[in-house]
């Protein structure tokens, strides 16, 4: 299923909380708890957590994004795919994919209930590509997945 991005609702990114969570606002609504679908960036206290947050902040904070809504997760956060318009090139950038492609996140396989197989396969291919090329956090050794880090706390 292809998404007509231009027809999606648009929001301003008010604040980036970490590498996969943010606050969105529009004229009509403020979404406090927003989580990027299929993306799990390192926690802020983990290696690369601050770099992932800074990359996302530099990319989208204050920007207008188009939001594909995937419902809520078990923590009542809105799961979304964000698209950023690149006016110079006349294309939309899938922010979720970009974070994984540049080595700022793992694929959040725990979103399986709402992440369809085609999207999961696409994200996994981008994750493997980034890992093979040692991009972003993959340039470091000794990684602990964010879900393992959270479970150990």
């Amino acid at each position: 299923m292809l998404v007509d991005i231009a027809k999606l609702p648009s929001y301003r990114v008010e604040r980036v909380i970490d590498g996969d969570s943010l606050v969105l606002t529009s004229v009509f609504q403020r979404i406090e708890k927003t989580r990027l679908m299929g993306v799990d960036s390192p926690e802020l206290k983990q290696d690369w957590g601050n770099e992932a947050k800074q990359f996302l902040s530099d990319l989208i904070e204050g920007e207008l994004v188009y939001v594909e809504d995937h419902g809520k997760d078990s923590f009542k956060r809105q799961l979304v795919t964000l698209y950023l318009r690149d006016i110079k090139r006349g294309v939309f950038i899938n922010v979720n994919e970009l974070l994984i492609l540049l080595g700022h996140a793992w694929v959040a396989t725990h979103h399986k209930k709402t992440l369809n197989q085609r999207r999961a396969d696409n994200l996994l291919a981008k994750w493997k590509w980034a890992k093979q090329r040692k991009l972003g956090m993959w340039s470091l050794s000794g990684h602990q997945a964010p879900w393992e880090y959270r479970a150990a706390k």
Side-chain angles (χ1 to χ4, degrees):
M1 176 178 108
L2 290 176
V3 177
D4 188 351
I5 297 166
K7 291 185 178 177
L8 293 174
S10 59
Y11 289 81
R12 180 104 23 224
V13 178
E14 182 177 308
R15 182 170 58 96
V16 171
I17 298 166
D18 60 24
D20 54 32
S21 302
L22 47 129
V23 177
L24 298 173
T25 58
S26 75
V27 174
F28 306 105
Q29 183 181 18
R30 183 170 198 251
I31 306 176
E32 281 284 339
K33 296 178 179 178
T34 308
R35 181 83 186 325
L36 297 180
M37 175 69 160
V39 174
D40 204 351
S41 289
E43 297 297 325
L44 292 175
K45 293 185 178 180
Q46 284 186 273
D47 287 342
W48 211 264
N50 287 313
E51 290 86 346
K53 178 186 177 183
Q54 190 62 54
F55 175 81
L56 188 58
S57 294
D58 291 346
L59 182 67
I60 64 171
E61 201 162 68
E63 297 292 334
L64 189 68
V65 292
Y66 295 83
V67 178
E68 183 180 3
D69 188 347
H70 302 286
K72 294 194 179 202
D73 68 7
S74 58
F75 299 103
K76 303 210 184 312
R77 297 174 298 193
Q78 208 64 43
L79 292 172
V80 299
T81 300
L82 296 184
Y83 300 92
L84 179 65
R85 183 176 228 147
D86 182 338
I87 295 171
K88 290 180 187 173
R89 295 189 302 157
V91 297
F92 288 96
I93 298 165
N94 182 318
V95 173
N96 303 39
E97 289 180 1
L98 188 63
L99 284 167
I100 291 170
L101 187 64
L102 296 179
H104 295 293
W106 275 263
V107 176
T109 54
H110 50 278
H111 290 168
K112 283 181 184 174
K113 290 181 183 176
T114 46
L115 184 64
N116 71 44
Q117 192 61 50
R118 183 185 59 80
R119 283 190 188 214
D121 291 345
N122 180 39
L123 292 175
L124 285 168
K126 286 172 174 37
W127 174 76
K128 288 176 185 173
W129 188 88
K131 218 173 158 184
Q132 288 169 346
R133 284 158 184 79
K134 298 186 184 315
L135 298 176
M137 71 178 140
W138 307 118
S139 65
L140 308 173
S141 60
H143 303 98
Q144 183 180 31
W147 56 89
E148 293 170 355
Y149 175 83
R150 291 187 295 267
K153 284 178 73 176

